[in-house]
Amino acid sequence: MAGRQHGQVEIESITAATGLGVLAVVCGGIFLGVLNSLLHGDVFGAFAVHRVQGMAIGHISTAAVIGSVMAVFVRGTSQELLAKASAVVYGAAFFESILGDLLSSSFGVGFGLFISPLYSVLTFFGYVIAFHVLFERDDLL
């Protein structure tokens, strides 16, 4: 199985790979945002600091999902790992929501603040299910 073949991969390698993946997503998103703004004639908005900050903050949960998926690939789909990874993804998405709200000056504590991070957890579980189906793992839940 794929998870067992890569069992010797260290957490530092997962962290480095996750960082590179997220860096590619953030830089690509910034580039596309600048290109889109320039195509619409918004030269000043293309290079606005708040846009870059928003893009960077907007991918905190992406980093957590990528890292968690890589951990599942390396270590398998045990209940303990899935619980810990889900908590990390939820926490990162929650933190991302708070920072995003603070950046936009629209911070408000409501029920949605606690529900919206579940979308990232759901995304993570989608990848876990796909991994399980592809490799026909018997250790899922």
Side-chain angles (χ1 to χ4, degrees):
M1 298 293 156
R4 298 189 206 310
Q5 292 173 355
H6 301 287
Q8 64 270 21
V9 175
E10 298 294 324
I11 195 71
E12 293 83 15
S13 299
I14 293 172
T15 303
T18 299
L20 288 173
V22 171
L23 186 62
V25 169
V26 170
C27 289
I30 291 170
F31 172 76
L32 290 175
V34 167
L35 181 64
N36 188 36
S37 292
L38 291 175
L39 288 174
H40 287 94
D42 185 14
V43 176
F44 297 110
F47 301 101
V49 173
H50 74 279
R51 179 174 287 182
V52 174
Q53 288 174 335
M55 181 63 69
I57 289 171
H59 287 293
I60 293 172
S61 62
T62 302
V65 169
I66 290 173
S68 296
V69 167
M70 292 184 73
V72 165
F73 178 73
V74 169
R75 304 241 163 85
T77 54
S78 69
Q79 287 182 350
E80 181 182 357
L81 177 63
L82 292 178
K84 287 179 181 178
S86 297
V88 167
V89 170
Y90 182 87
F94 184 76
F95 184 63
E96 177 183 304
S97 294
I98 290 172
L99 285 178
D101 285 353
L102 289 174
L103 183 65
S104 67
S105 299
S106 66
F107 185 74
V109 178
F111 195 61
L113 183 66
F114 300 98
I115 296 295
S116 65
L118 292 175
Y119 289 104
S120 295
V121 175
L122 185 61
T123 300
F124 165 66
F125 275 114
Y127 286 118
V128 169
I129 291 168
F131 172 80
H132 177 73
V133 169
L134 181 64
F135 294 105
E136 298 181 28
R137 300 291 298 252
D138 293 331
D139 58 353
L140 181 66
L141 306 176

